[in-house]
mmCIF file of all heavy atoms in Angstrom:
data_model
loop_
_atom_site.group_PDB
_atom_site.id
_atom_site.type_symbol
_atom_site.label_atom_id
_atom_site.label_comp_id
_atom_site.label_asym_id
_atom_site.label_seq_id
_atom_site.Cartn_x
_atom_site.Cartn_y
_atom_site.Cartn_z
ATOM 1 N N HIS A 277 0.806 -1.215 0.000
ATOM 2 C CA HIS A 277 0.000 0.000 0.000
ATOM 3 C C HIS A 277 0.841 1.268 0.000
ATOM 4 O O HIS A 277 0.310 2.381 0.053
ATOM 5 C CB HIS A 277 -0.919 0.017 1.229
ATOM 6 C CG HIS A 277 -0.168 0.175 2.529
ATOM 7 N ND1 HIS A 277 0.539 -0.847 3.106
ATOM 8 C CD2 HIS A 277 -0.017 1.246 3.352
ATOM 9 C CE1 HIS A 277 1.097 -0.425 4.235
ATOM 10 N NE2 HIS A 277 0.770 0.842 4.413
ATOM 11 N N GLN A 278 2.178 1.133 -0.088
ATOM 12 C CA GLN A 278 3.046 2.291 0.041
ATOM 13 C C GLN A 278 3.667 2.699 -1.298
ATOM 14 O O GLN A 278 3.844 1.863 -2.191
ATOM 15 C CB GLN A 278 4.171 1.999 1.046
ATOM 16 C CG GLN A 278 3.669 1.805 2.470
ATOM 17 C CD GLN A 278 4.780 1.386 3.421
ATOM 18 O OE1 GLN A 278 5.730 0.710 3.037
ATOM 19 N NE2 GLN A 278 4.655 1.795 4.677
ATOM 20 N N CYS A 279 4.001 3.987 -1.414
ATOM 21 C CA CYS A 279 4.718 4.468 -2.586
ATOM 22 C C CYS A 279 5.603 5.634 -2.131
ATOM 23 O O CYS A 279 5.656 5.968 -0.942
ATOM 24 C CB CYS A 279 3.766 4.897 -3.692
ATOM 25 S SG CYS A 279 2.879 6.420 -3.353
ATOM 26 N N ALA A 280 6.289 6.245 -3.078
ATOM 27 C CA ALA A 280 7.175 7.364 -2.763
ATOM 28 C C ALA A 280 6.822 8.558 -3.634
ATOM 29 O O ALA A 280 6.327 8.406 -4.755
ATOM 30 C CB ALA A 280 8.632 6.966 -2.977
ATOM 31 N N VAL A 281 7.065 9.746 -3.120
ATOM 32 C CA VAL A 281 6.869 10.991 -3.866
ATOM 33 C C VAL A 281 8.192 11.743 -3.838
ATOM 34 O O VAL A 281 8.750 12.008 -2.762
ATOM 35 C CB VAL A 281 5.762 11.863 -3.248
ATOM 36 C CG1 VAL A 281 5.708 13.221 -3.949
ATOM 37 C CG2 VAL A 281 4.417 11.164 -3.348
ATOM 38 N N TYR A 282 8.707 12.068 -5.022
ATOM 39 C CA TYR A 282 9.969 12.805 -5.131
ATOM 40 C C TYR A 282 9.652 14.206 -5.635
ATOM 41 O O TYR A 282 9.081 14.377 -6.712
ATOM 42 C CB TYR A 282 10.910 12.098 -6.101
ATOM 43 C CG TYR A 282 12.309 12.680 -6.125
ATOM 44 C CD1 TYR A 282 13.342 12.059 -5.442
ATOM 45 C CD2 TYR A 282 12.601 13.839 -6.835
ATOM 46 C CE1 TYR A 282 14.628 12.583 -5.448
ATOM 47 C CE2 TYR A 282 13.874 14.378 -6.848
ATOM 48 C CZ TYR A 282 14.889 13.739 -6.156
ATOM 49 O OH TYR A 282 16.165 14.267 -6.170
ATOM 50 N N VAL A 283 10.022 15.215 -4.853
ATOM 51 C CA VAL A 283 9.786 16.606 -5.229
ATOM 52 C C VAL A 283 11.092 17.194 -5.771
ATOM 53 O O VAL A 283 12.132 17.111 -5.116
ATOM 54 C CB VAL A 283 9.286 17.443 -4.030
ATOM 55 C CG1 VAL A 283 8.911 18.849 -4.488
ATOM 56 C CG2 VAL A 283 8.088 16.765 -3.365
ATOM 57 N N PHE A 284 11.026 17.747 -6.977
ATOM 58 C CA PHE A 284 12.216 18.343 -7.571
ATOM 59 C C PHE A 284 11.935 19.800 -7.923
ATOM 60 O O PHE A 284 10.776 20.236 -7.961
ATOM 61 C CB PHE A 284 12.660 17.568 -8.817
ATOM 62 C CG PHE A 284 11.659 17.559 -9.943
ATOM 63 C CD1 PHE A 284 11.699 18.513 -10.940
ATOM 64 C CD2 PHE A 284 10.668 16.577 -10.009
ATOM 65 C CE1 PHE A 284 10.777 18.511 -11.979
ATOM 66 C CE2 PHE A 284 9.738 16.558 -11.048
ATOM 67 C CZ PHE A 284 9.794 17.536 -12.038
ATOM 68 N N GLY A 285 12.963 20.557 -8.169
ATOM 69 C CA GLY A 285 12.806 21.961 -8.528
ATOM 70 C C GLY A 285 14.120 22.526 -9.012
ATOM 71 O O GLY A 285 15.117 21.809 -9.137
ATOM 72 N N ASP A 286 14.138 23.805 -9.273
ATOM 73 C CA ASP A 286 15.337 24.464 -9.782
ATOM 74 C C ASP A 286 16.483 24.292 -8.777
ATOM 75 O O ASP A 286 16.391 24.765 -7.639
ATOM 76 C CB ASP A 286 15.048 25.952 -10.007
ATOM 77 C CG ASP A 286 16.181 26.673 -10.713
ATOM 78 O OD1 ASP A 286 17.347 26.307 -10.508
ATOM 79 O OD2 ASP A 286 15.895 27.612 -11.476
ATOM 80 N N PRO A 287 17.574 23.643 -9.157
ATOM 81 C CA PRO A 287 18.661 23.407 -8.191
ATOM 82 C C PRO A 287 19.333 24.699 -7.735
ATOM 83 O O PRO A 287 19.846 24.753 -6.612
ATOM 84 C CB PRO A 287 19.642 22.520 -8.975
ATOM 85 C CG PRO A 287 19.342 22.773 -10.416
ATOM 86 C CD PRO A 287 17.871 23.055 -10.478
ATOM 87 N N CYS A 288 19.329 25.733 -8.575
ATOM 88 C CA CYS A 288 19.962 26.994 -8.172
ATOM 89 C C CYS A 288 19.219 27.611 -6.992
ATOM 90 O O CYS A 288 19.832 28.087 -6.019
ATOM 91 C CB CYS A 288 19.997 27.965 -9.350
ATOM 92 S SG CYS A 288 20.984 27.396 -10.753
ATOM 93 N N ASN A 289 17.880 27.610 -7.052
ATOM 94 C CA ASN A 289 17.092 28.135 -5.938
ATOM 95 C C ASN A 289 17.249 27.264 -4.696
ATOM 96 O O ASN A 289 17.278 27.756 -3.571
ATOM 97 C CB ASN A 289 15.622 28.226 -6.323
ATOM 98 C CG ASN A 289 15.334 29.401 -7.240
ATOM 99 O OD1 ASN A 289 16.058 30.392 -7.230
ATOM 100 N ND2 ASN A 289 14.294 29.291 -8.044
ATOM 101 N N ALA A 290 17.323 25.945 -4.902
ATOM 102 C CA ALA A 290 17.471 25.038 -3.760
ATOM 103 C C ALA A 290 18.779 25.310 -3.017
ATOM 104 O O ALA A 290 18.806 25.383 -1.784
ATOM 105 C CB ALA A 290 17.422 23.586 -4.242
ATOM 106 N N VAL A 291 19.865 25.474 -3.763
ATOM 107 C CA VAL A 291 21.163 25.725 -3.129
ATOM 108 C C VAL A 291 21.157 27.060 -2.408
ATOM 109 O O VAL A 291 21.679 27.190 -1.290
ATOM 110 C CB VAL A 291 22.287 25.672 -4.189
ATOM 111 C CG1 VAL A 291 23.598 26.200 -3.617
ATOM 112 C CG2 VAL A 291 22.472 24.242 -4.675
ATOM 113 N N LEU A 292 20.554 28.063 -3.030
ATOM 114 C CA LEU A 292 20.447 29.363 -2.363
ATOM 115 C C LEU A 292 19.661 29.228 -1.061
ATOM 116 O O LEU A 292 20.006 29.832 -0.037
ATOM 117 C CB LEU A 292 19.779 30.364 -3.297
ATOM 118 C CG LEU A 292 19.617 31.798 -2.774
ATOM 119 C CD1 LEU A 292 20.967 32.382 -2.360
ATOM 120 C CD2 LEU A 292 18.967 32.669 -3.842
ATOM 121 N N SER A 293 18.611 28.394 -1.074
ATOM 122 C CA SER A 293 17.829 28.155 0.135
ATOM 123 C C SER A 293 18.664 27.497 1.222
ATOM 124 O O SER A 293 18.558 27.835 2.404
ATOM 125 C CB SER A 293 16.616 27.281 -0.197
ATOM 126 O OG SER A 293 15.879 26.945 0.961
ATOM 127 N N PHE A 294 19.533 26.532 0.822
ATOM 128 C CA PHE A 294 20.395 25.873 1.804
ATOM 129 C C PHE A 294 21.204 26.910 2.583
ATOM 130 O O PHE A 294 21.266 26.882 3.816
ATOM 131 C CB PHE A 294 21.379 24.914 1.125
ATOM 132 C CG PHE A 294 20.749 23.785 0.359
ATOM 133 C CD1 PHE A 294 21.486 23.092 -0.584
ATOM 134 C CD2 PHE A 294 19.441 23.400 0.584
ATOM 135 C CE1 PHE A 294 20.935 22.044 -1.297
ATOM 136 C CE2 PHE A 294 18.864 22.359 -0.122
ATOM 137 C CZ PHE A 294 19.620 21.683 -1.072
ATOM 138 N N PHE A 295 21.840 27.814 1.848
ATOM 139 C CA PHE A 295 22.724 28.773 2.507
ATOM 140 C C PHE A 295 21.944 29.872 3.216
ATOM 141 O O PHE A 295 22.417 30.421 4.216
ATOM 142 C CB PHE A 295 23.707 29.351 1.481
ATOM 143 C CG PHE A 295 24.806 28.395 1.121
ATOM 144 C CD1 PHE A 295 24.725 27.609 -0.017
ATOM 145 C CD2 PHE A 295 25.917 28.249 1.946
ATOM 146 C CE1 PHE A 295 25.724 26.710 -0.345
ATOM 147 C CE2 PHE A 295 26.927 27.350 1.636
ATOM 148 C CZ PHE A 295 26.831 26.574 0.489
ATOM 149 N N SER A 296 20.744 30.182 2.740
ATOM 150 C CA SER A 296 19.928 31.189 3.420
ATOM 151 C C SER A 296 19.558 30.733 4.827
ATOM 152 O O SER A 296 19.451 31.546 5.751
ATOM 153 C CB SER A 296 18.653 31.474 2.613
ATOM 154 O OG SER A 296 18.955 32.028 1.360
ATOM 155 N N ARG A 297 19.361 29.423 4.991
ATOM 156 C CA ARG A 297 18.927 28.915 6.295
ATOM 157 C C ARG A 297 20.049 28.943 7.330
ATOM 158 O O ARG A 297 19.809 28.681 8.499
ATOM 159 C CB ARG A 297 18.376 27.502 6.148
ATOM 160 C CG ARG A 297 17.110 27.472 5.310
ATOM 161 C CD ARG A 297 16.491 26.107 5.290
ATOM 162 N NE ARG A 297 15.820 25.851 4.026
ATOM 163 C CZ ARG A 297 15.165 24.735 3.756
ATOM 164 N NH1 ARG A 297 15.098 23.780 4.656
ATOM 165 N NH2 ARG A 297 14.592 24.561 2.584
ATOM 166 N N ARG A 298 21.267 29.256 6.902
ATOM 167 C CA ARG A 298 22.336 29.503 7.877
ATOM 168 C C ARG A 298 22.072 30.810 8.624
ATOM 169 O O ARG A 298 22.580 31.002 9.732
ATOM 170 C CB ARG A 298 23.687 29.599 7.180
ATOM 171 C CG ARG A 298 24.181 28.324 6.538
ATOM 172 C CD ARG A 298 25.500 28.536 5.804
ATOM 173 N NE ARG A 298 26.563 28.903 6.701
ATOM 174 C CZ ARG A 298 27.129 30.112 6.748
ATOM 175 N NH1 ARG A 298 26.693 31.080 5.951
ATOM 176 N NH2 ARG A 298 28.106 30.370 7.591
ATOM 177 N N ILE A 299 21.304 31.699 7.969
ATOM 178 C CA ILE A 299 21.085 33.042 8.526
ATOM 179 C C ILE A 299 19.719 33.140 9.188
ATOM 180 O O ILE A 299 19.588 33.631 10.306
ATOM 181 C CB ILE A 299 21.208 34.094 7.407
ATOM 182 C CG1 ILE A 299 22.594 33.979 6.760
ATOM 183 C CG2 ILE A 299 20.971 35.494 7.951
ATOM 184 C CD1 ILE A 299 22.747 34.785 5.493
ATOM 185 N N GLN A 300 18.679 32.664 8.495
ATOM 186 C CA GLN A 300 17.344 32.691 9.091
ATOM 187 C C GLN A 300 16.507 31.549 8.528
ATOM 188 O O GLN A 300 16.771 31.056 7.440
ATOM 189 C CB GLN A 300 16.642 34.026 8.829
ATOM 190 C CG GLN A 300 16.325 34.291 7.365
ATOM 191 C CD GLN A 300 15.584 35.616 7.184
ATOM 192 O OE1 GLN A 300 15.622 36.483 8.049
ATOM 193 N NE2 GLN A 300 14.903 35.760 6.066
ATOM 194 N N ARG A 301 15.516 31.152 9.313
ATOM 195 C CA ARG A 301 14.610 30.075 8.895
ATOM 196 C C ARG A 301 13.182 30.594 8.925
ATOM 197 O O ARG A 301 12.763 31.209 9.894
ATOM 198 C CB ARG A 301 14.753 28.870 9.822
ATOM 199 C CG ARG A 301 16.102 28.208 9.788
ATOM 200 C CD ARG A 301 16.144 27.015 10.722
ATOM 201 N NE ARG A 301 15.940 27.413 12.117
ATOM 202 C CZ ARG A 301 15.658 26.569 13.101
ATOM 203 N NH1 ARG A 301 15.520 25.281 12.845
ATOM 204 N NH2 ARG A 301 15.497 26.993 14.327
ATOM 205 N N HIS A 302 12.451 30.315 7.848
ATOM 206 C CA HIS A 302 11.040 30.663 7.801
ATOM 207 C C HIS A 302 10.207 29.511 8.350
ATOM 208 O O HIS A 302 10.559 28.343 8.190
ATOM 209 C CB HIS A 302 10.592 30.926 6.355
ATOM 210 C CG HIS A 302 11.121 32.214 5.813
ATOM 211 N ND1 HIS A 302 10.457 33.404 5.925
ATOM 212 C CD2 HIS A 302 12.269 32.483 5.146
ATOM 213 C CE1 HIS A 302 11.169 34.360 5.349
ATOM 214 N NE2 HIS A 302 12.267 33.824 4.859
ATOM 215 N N ALA A 303 9.079 29.846 8.964
ATOM 216 C CA ALA A 303 8.156 28.799 9.401
ATOM 217 C C ALA A 303 7.639 28.010 8.210
ATOM 218 O O ALA A 303 7.303 26.834 8.322
ATOM 219 C CB ALA A 303 6.990 29.408 10.179
ATOM 220 N N ARG A 304 7.596 28.646 7.023
ATOM 221 C CA ARG A 304 7.092 27.926 5.851
ATOM 222 C C ARG A 304 8.057 26.845 5.367
ATOM 223 O O ARG A 304 7.722 26.052 4.490
ATOM 224 C CB ARG A 304 6.785 28.900 4.711
ATOM 225 C CG ARG A 304 7.976 29.655 4.158
ATOM 226 C CD ARG A 304 7.568 30.435 2.900
ATOM 227 N NE ARG A 304 8.626 31.284 2.388
ATOM 228 C CZ ARG A 304 8.811 32.541 2.725
ATOM 229 N NH1 ARG A 304 7.996 33.119 3.594
ATOM 230 N NH2 ARG A 304 9.797 33.263 2.214
ATOM 231 N N HIS A 305 9.289 26.843 5.919
ATOM 232 C CA HIS A 305 10.192 25.743 5.594
ATOM 233 C C HIS A 305 9.728 24.441 6.236
ATOM 234 O O HIS A 305 10.307 23.385 5.990
ATOM 235 C CB HIS A 305 11.612 26.048 6.097
ATOM 236 C CG HIS A 305 12.314 27.080 5.281
ATOM 237 N ND1 HIS A 305 13.216 27.961 5.830
ATOM 238 C CD2 HIS A 305 12.254 27.389 3.963
ATOM 239 C CE1 HIS A 305 13.690 28.761 4.881
ATOM 240 N NE2 HIS A 305 13.112 28.420 3.737
ATOM 241 N N GLY A 306 8.692 24.537 7.091
ATOM 242 C CA GLY A 306 8.251 23.329 7.782
ATOM 243 C C GLY A 306 9.166 22.975 8.944
ATOM 244 O O GLY A 306 9.173 21.849 9.415
ATOM 245 N N MET A 307 9.951 23.944 9.398
ATOM 246 C CA MET A 307 10.930 23.665 10.436
ATOM 247 C C MET A 307 10.419 24.060 11.818
ATOM 248 O O MET A 307 11.163 24.173 12.765
ATOM 249 C CB MET A 307 12.243 24.389 10.118
ATOM 250 C CG MET A 307 12.816 23.997 8.773
ATOM 251 S SD MET A 307 14.312 24.878 8.309
ATOM 252 C CE MET A 307 15.527 23.987 9.256
ATOM 253 N N THR A 308 9.135 24.316 11.925
ATOM 254 C CA THR A 308 8.544 24.604 13.229
ATOM 255 C C THR A 308 7.190 23.922 13.300
ATOM 256 O O THR A 308 6.538 23.689 12.289
ATOM 257 C CB THR A 308 8.372 26.114 13.447
ATOM 258 O OG1 THR A 308 7.703 26.315 14.683
ATOM 259 C CG2 THR A 308 7.539 26.750 12.341
ATOM 260 N N TRP A 309 6.777 23.571 14.495
ATOM 261 C CA TRP A 309 5.477 22.906 14.663
ATOM 262 C C TRP A 309 4.539 23.727 15.541
ATOM 263 O O TRP A 309 3.503 23.270 15.963
ATOM 264 C CB TRP A 309 5.679 21.530 15.282
ATOM 265 C CG TRP A 309 6.247 20.579 14.293
ATOM 266 C CD1 TRP A 309 7.563 20.360 14.030
ATOM 267 C CD2 TRP A 309 5.523 19.738 13.405
ATOM 268 N NE1 TRP A 309 7.709 19.438 13.036
ATOM 269 C CE2 TRP A 309 6.477 19.025 12.640
ATOM 270 C CE3 TRP A 309 4.178 19.511 13.174
ATOM 271 C CZ2 TRP A 309 6.115 18.111 11.671
ATOM 272 C CZ3 TRP A 309 3.817 18.594 12.223
ATOM 273 C CH2 TRP A 309 4.779 17.908 11.471
ATOM 274 N N SER A 310 4.921 24.961 15.813
ATOM 275 C CA SER A 310 4.071 25.798 16.652
ATOM 276 C C SER A 310 2.933 26.383 15.818
ATOM 277 O O SER A 310 3.155 27.075 14.834
ATOM 278 C CB SER A 310 4.894 26.940 17.277
ATOM 279 O OG SER A 310 4.033 27.847 17.912
ATOM 280 N N HIS A 311 1.690 26.099 16.205
ATOM 281 C CA HIS A 311 0.542 26.610 15.464
ATOM 282 C C HIS A 311 0.383 28.117 15.644
ATOM 283 O O HIS A 311 -0.358 28.760 14.907
ATOM 284 C CB HIS A 311 -0.740 25.901 15.922
ATOM 285 C CG HIS A 311 -0.744 24.452 15.586
ATOM 286 N ND1 HIS A 311 -0.790 23.978 14.297
ATOM 287 C CD2 HIS A 311 -0.669 23.359 16.384
ATOM 288 C CE1 HIS A 311 -0.782 22.649 14.304
ATOM 289 N NE2 HIS A 311 -0.702 22.253 15.563
ATOM 290 N N ALA A 312 1.084 28.659 16.624
ATOM 291 C CA ALA A 312 0.976 30.093 16.856
ATOM 292 C C ALA A 312 1.768 30.887 15.822
ATOM 293 O O ALA A 312 1.549 32.076 15.644
ATOM 294 C CB ALA A 312 1.482 30.439 18.263
ATOM 295 N N GLU A 313 2.689 30.236 15.165
ATOM 296 C CA GLU A 313 3.552 30.945 14.219
ATOM 297 C C GLU A 313 2.937 30.931 12.821
ATOM 298 O O GLU A 313 2.352 29.943 12.395
ATOM 299 C CB GLU A 313 4.938 30.295 14.188
ATOM 300 C CG GLU A 313 5.690 30.468 15.499
ATOM 301 C CD GLU A 313 6.921 29.578 15.566
ATOM 302 O OE1 GLU A 313 6.902 28.506 14.939
ATOM 303 O OE2 GLU A 313 7.874 29.974 16.244
ATOM 304 N N THR A 314 3.094 32.011 12.135
ATOM 305 C CA THR A 314 2.608 32.105 10.758
ATOM 306 C C THR A 314 3.754 31.747 9.817
ATOM 307 O O THR A 314 4.926 31.812 10.186
ATOM 308 C CB THR A 314 2.125 33.532 10.447
ATOM 309 O OG1 THR A 314 3.259 34.413 10.438
ATOM 310 C CG2 THR A 314 1.118 33.989 11.467
ATOM 311 N N PRO A 315 3.432 31.376 8.569
ATOM 312 C CA PRO A 315 4.489 30.997 7.627
ATOM 313 C C PRO A 315 5.513 32.090 7.378
ATOM 314 O O PRO A 315 6.621 31.790 6.947
ATOM 315 C CB PRO A 315 3.699 30.673 6.349
ATOM 316 C CG PRO A 315 2.341 30.275 6.828
ATOM 317 C CD PRO A 315 2.083 31.140 8.021
#
């Protein structure tokens, strides 16, 4: 009953996102579970 989903996108934006998270993280990254926080 199981399968996999692979999400792909522009690698240039992805790499920029990697380094941006060294400085700040958005709630929309899915890196927080607090319902009080907005994306």
Side-chain angles (χ1 to χ4, degrees):
H277 68 284
Q278 294 175 329
C279 72
V281 173
Y282 188 101
V283 186
F284 62 92
D286 188 327
C288 297
N289 284 334
V291 169
L292 182 56
S293 176
F294 299 162
F295 284 97
S296 296
R297 295 186 212 182
R298 294 177 64 250
I299 302 170
Q300 66 178 20
R301 296 181 297 166
H302 288 270
R304 64 172 174 269
H305 287 147
M307 302 177 80
T308 176
W309 286 88
S310 171
H311 294 293
E313 293 168 331
T314 68

